[in-house]
Amino acid sequence: MRFCVTVDFDSLDDRAITVRDRDTMAQERVPLENLEQYLTERLRGA
């Protein structure tokens, strides 16, 4: 399982980033302060 994390201009306003699963191309907008938890939960299930 591999992830791509994108910080864009919207991130400056809403303090959220886009996380994309590189295998499925599914993507979610995640609050920056929740990134560690988000990735930890997904990597445990891998």
Side-chain angles (χ1 to χ4, degrees):
M1 188 174 276
R2 295 181 184 185
F3 295 99
C4 174
V5 176
T6 303
V7 178
D8 57 23
F9 289 109
D10 290 332
S11 300
L12 299 174
D13 293 327
D14 64 9
R15 304 222 8 104
I17 47 111
T18 302
V19 179
R20 186 178 74 227
D21 181 319
R22 208 177 81 168
D23 297 331
T24 66
M25 300 301 282
Q27 60 185 34
E28 289 185 63
R29 197 88 173 138
V30 178
L32 189 55
E33 61 270 7
N34 296 348
L35 179 60
E36 182 178 0
Q37 178 183 349
Y38 178 90
L39 293 174
T40 298
E41 290 171 1
R42 278 140 189 88
L43 292 172
R44 279 191 187 143

